[in-house]
Amino acid sequence: DAKTTQPPSMDCAEGRAANLPCNHSTISGNEYVYWYRQIHSQGPQYIIHGLKNNETNEMASLIITEDRKSSTLILPHATLRDTAVYYCIVRVTQGRDKIIFGKGTRLHILP
Amino acid sequence: DGGITQSPKYLFRKEGQNVTLSCEQNLNHDAMYWYRQDPGQGLRLIYYSQIVNDFQKGDIAEGYSVSREKKESFPLTVTSAQKNPTAFYLCATKPSRAGYEQYFGPGTRLTVT
């Protein structure tokens, strides 16, 4: 699986959009970009994933650059409950299906 | 957390004792996984199972053992051979169909003293 690079921490004001970047310059053509988040002392929660097109669901939007070497997760209206560690992962969806979690970005939502 | 149960939430053991962590699911998912998380770190894969009666080592299997006798259950035993067993242990499941994500349980925090 390709490796990802994320900033260790970010702050965002409550009610504003939180934009979390991720670099994955060695991504392969058949690898998807996945985002999970983990609230303290809980299991990770799936947020969204995409291959090359931008994606949106009820939780977030995922913007993938045209060369697929980086992406941004957008939480449109951040709340205090969005305080968590956010993991960006690239992986194929078949085969061993192992998820490699890095250290992620610790997002602090400020009241 | 969905239909994944990990119990207990907190577990304490003395050094030198084996301990078994439970993971039960009612999601009818074929694949099950065990991860370990240390403070400030990402998750590391211990063992995984794609089907009943079959399992494979992950990246840090030494000192751990598993069984998959039933589709619903994937218990993890932390043996006395594991040098640093104190950690947060997470179980995950996934349908066999491609494109679906892994679902995680609430985790068990194991402390060995």
Side-chain angles (χ1 to χ4, degrees), chain B:
Chain B
D1 299 336
I4 304 171
T5 303
Q6 290 186 249
S7 59
K9 179 71 173 175
Y10 299 95
L11 190 55
F12 299 88
R13 282 293 184 272
K14 294 290 187 184
E15 191 174 340
Q17 293 179 334
N18 291 355
V19 58
T20 297
L21 283 59
S22 74
C23 178
E24 304 283 331
Q25 56 113 347
N26 62 4
L27 301 170
N28 199 35
H29 288 174
D30 291 307
M32 298 186 72
Y33 307 79
W34 273 106
Y35 293 88
R36 167 186 173 135
Q37 187 175 35
D38 294 285
Q41 303 295 317
L43 281 66
R44 292 183 290 168
L45 182 66
I46 305 173
Y47 267 99
Y48 67 102
S49 168
Q50 303 277 39
I51 197 169
V52 174
N53 292 323
D54 184 57
F55 49 84
Q56 304 294 329
K57 292 182 179 180
D59 298 320
I60 55 164
E62 185 176 352
Y64 300 97
S65 66
V66 294
S67 63
R68 186 83 186 279
E69 298 176 0
K70 298 186 300 182
K71 188 175 187 178
E72 301 79 18
S73 179
F74 191 41
L76 174 74
T77 297
V78 185
T79 75
S80 57
Q82 169 50 233
K83 300 300 181 187
N84 296 294
T86 295
F88 188 45
Y89 290 88
L90 287 155
C91 176
T93 71
K94 181 185 173 297
S96 57
R97 299 183 298 280
Y100 284 79
E101 69 278 10
Q102 291 189 12
Y103 295 85
F104 285 82
T108 292
R109 189 167 298 280
L110 173 65
T111 301
V112 177
T113 57

Side-chain angles (χ1 to χ4, degrees), chain A residues 34 36 38 40-46 49 87 91 93-103 106, chain B residues 9 33 35 37 40-43 45 48 50 57 59 88 90 94 98-102 104-106 109:
Chain A
Y34 278 74
Y36 286 76
Q38 186 176 22
H40 183 63
S41 293
Q42 296 183 22
Q45 176 190 22
Y46 165 82
H49 76 283
Y87 296 99
R91 54 185 271 249
T93 59
Q94 298 177 1
R96 280 185 62 184
D97 205 33
K98 179 176 72 171
I99 297 180
I100 298 176
F101 284 80
K103 295 185 180 180
R106 186 171 296 276
Chain B
K9 179 71 173 175
Y33 307 79
Y35 293 88
Q37 187 175 35
Q41 303 295 317
L43 281 66
L45 182 66
Y48 67 102
Q50 303 277 39
K57 292 182 179 180
D59 298 320
F88 188 45
L90 287 155
K94 181 185 173 297
Y100 284 79
E101 69 278 10
Q102 291 189 12
F104 285 82
R109 189 167 298 280

Side-chain angles (χ1 to χ4, degrees), chain A residues 15-104:
Chain A
R16 304 298 292 268
N19 297 280
L20 291 88
C22 179
N23 288 320
H24 32 79
S25 58
T26 60
I27 191 170
S28 299
N30 62 343
E31 288 180 316
Y32 288 72
V33 179
Y34 278 74
W35 283 84
Y36 286 76
R37 74 179 182 184
Q38 186 176 22
I39 296 169
H40 183 63
S41 293
Q42 296 183 22
Q45 176 190 22
Y46 165 82
I47 301 173
I48 199 168
H49 76 283
L51 184 62
K52 53 184 177 181
N53 298 321
N54 298 338
E55 302 287 344
T56 295
N57 63 20
E58 64 279 3
M59 289 183 68
S61 295
L62 174 61
I63 308 298
I64 303 174
T65 58
E66 191 169 344
D67 63 7
R68 301 209 324 124
K69 293 186 176 181
S70 65
S71 60
T72 301
L73 178 75
I74 302 172
L75 309 178
H77 304 286
T79 71
L80 296 176
R81 288 178 294 179
D82 292 321
T83 293
V85 177
Y86 288 76
Y87 296 99
C88 169
I89 297 151
V90 293
R91 54 185 271 249
V92 297
T93 59
Q94 298 177 1
R96 280 185 62 184
D97 205 33
K98 179 176 72 171
I99 297 180
I100 298 176
F101 284 80
K103 295 185 180 180

